[in-house]
Amino acid sequence: MNIILLGPPGAGKGTQARILVDHKGMVQLSTGDMLREAVAAGTEIGKQAKAVMDAGDLVTDEIVIGIISDRLDQPDVSGGAIFDGFPRTLAQADALSELLAHKGMALDAVVEMRCDDEALIERVVGRFTCAVCGEGYHSTFKTPQKEGVCDKCGSHDFKHRPDDNEDAMRNRLLVYYKETSPLIGYYHAKGALKAVDGTADIDVVTAQIAACLT
Ligand code: AP5
Ligand code: MG
Ligand code: ZN
C-alpha cells in the first residue's frame, strides 16, 4: 500500500508516518528529512536548499522530484511507501503520478490531516527531535518518558529545526495554503482523498488513519 500524508506544517505527518513504519513495516519518504540530510552533508542540493528551507519557502520542483525518483528506485519501497511532505505543488503531484505509473506502483490513499493554524504554530515551536534516531517530541504534547533521554534509542542528544520559529512557520503556512492546498481538490477529483482530524490526540489520529487504509 502506498499513501500520501497531506497536511500543513505541524499537522503530524512525520509523527504518523513513523508510527506506520513501526506498525506496518512501510517506509517513510519525507522530502523534508531528505533535504535536511543533504544540508547536513553539505551536498550541492543541500547548499541550494538551506536558505530556502530556513525561510519556509519551497525548494524547486526539479530538486524534490529528482530526490523522490531516486528514492523510489530502492527496493525497500516495495513494503509500501508513505509520502510525507511530497507532493507539495500540482507539478509535483503530476510528476508523482507519472513516476508511480512508470514503476508499476499504485496510489492507494491520500490522507488529508486537518488542523487549525494556531494549534500548528504551538506544535511546531515546541517540537524537538532525537539527534541520533530522529524520533519526534514536543515540549508539552509528547515528552520523552525519562527527561532528556530518547525513548527509542536512549540518546541524550536532541535538536531543533532552524525553521521551527514563529516567523518561518507563518510563512510555511502561507506557502501551504497557496501552493499545496490545491492538492486537496486534485486528489478529491481523483477519488483518492480521505480526511482525518489532525487536532485529535496522536493515538486517535493513528486510529483514524488506520480506518482510512482498510
Ligand atoms: P517538511 O520537513 O516537510 O516540513 P513541514 O511540511 O513544514 O511539516 P513538519 O515536518 O513541520 O510537520 P509534520 O506534519 O511532519 O508534523 P510532526 O509530526 O513533526 O519541510 C521542511 C521544508 O523543506 C519546507 O518548508 C521546504 O522548504 C522543504 N521541502 C520539503 N518538502 C518539499 C517539497 N516536496 N517541495 C518543496 N520544498 C520542500 O508534528 C509536529 C509537532 O506536533 C511534533 O512536536 C509532534 O510531537 C506534535 N504532534 C504531532 N501530532 C500531534 C497531535 N495529534 N497532537 C498534539 N501534538 C502532536
Ligand atoms: Mg515532518
Ligand atoms: Zn533517538
Side-chain angles (χ1 to χ4, degrees), residues 9-10 32-33 35-36 49-58 88 120-121 124-125 127 160-173:
D33 287 349
L35 288 166
R36 280 183 287 279
K50 166 114 181 67
V52 178
M53 292 175 76
D54 286 355
D57 291 319
L58 294 184
R88 255 175 153 95
L120 294 173
I121 291 169
V124 157
V125 172
R127 171 171 53 187
H160 281 272
R161 276 168 48 176
D163 58 345
D164 278 352
N165 59 74
E166 196 165 335
D167 280 353
M169 180 56 181
R170 290 205 183 267
N171 188 43
R172 285 157 62 194
L173 282 168

Side-chain angles (χ1 to χ4, degrees), residues 3-20:
I3 67 165
I4 296 173
L5 295 181
L6 178 64
K13 304 180 294 292
T15 301
Q16 297 298 333
R18 293 178 70 88
I19 292 171
L20 286 166

Side-chain angles (χ1 to χ4, degrees), residues 1 16 20 24 111 196 204-214:
M1 174 167 272
Q16 297 298 333
L20 286 166
K24 300 201 186 248
V111 180
V196 299
V204 174
V205 180
T206 302
Q208 289 184 7
I209 293 176
C212 292
L213 305 186
T214 51

Side-chain angles (χ1 to χ4, degrees), residues 176-189:
Y176 174 78
Y177 292 118
K178 201 168 148 212
E179 305 283 350
T180 308
S181 66
L183 299 186
I184 296 168
Y186 175 99
Y187 286 116
H188 174 69

Side-chain angles (χ1 to χ4, degrees), residues 127-191:
R127 171 171 53 187
F128 58 99
T129 56
C130 173
V132 175
C133 75
E135 182 67 0
Y137 295 97
H138 189 279
S139 53
T140 312
F141 306 125
K142 191 189 167 204
T143 52
Q145 278 162 13
K146 191 169 168 214
E147 196 186 333
V149 184
C150 175
D151 296 342
K152 263 207 161 163
C153 76
S155 152
H156 294 257
D157 202 6
F158 295 92
K159 59 184 182 184
H160 281 272
R161 276 168 48 176
D163 58 345
D164 278 352
N165 59 74
E166 196 165 335
D167 280 353
M169 180 56 181
R170 290 205 183 267
N171 188 43
R172 285 157 62 194
L173 282 168
L174 276 180
V175 170
Y176 174 78
Y177 292 118
K178 201 168 148 212
E179 305 283 350
T180 308
S181 66
L183 299 186
I184 296 168
Y186 175 99
Y187 286 116
H188 174 69
K190 286 184 177 252

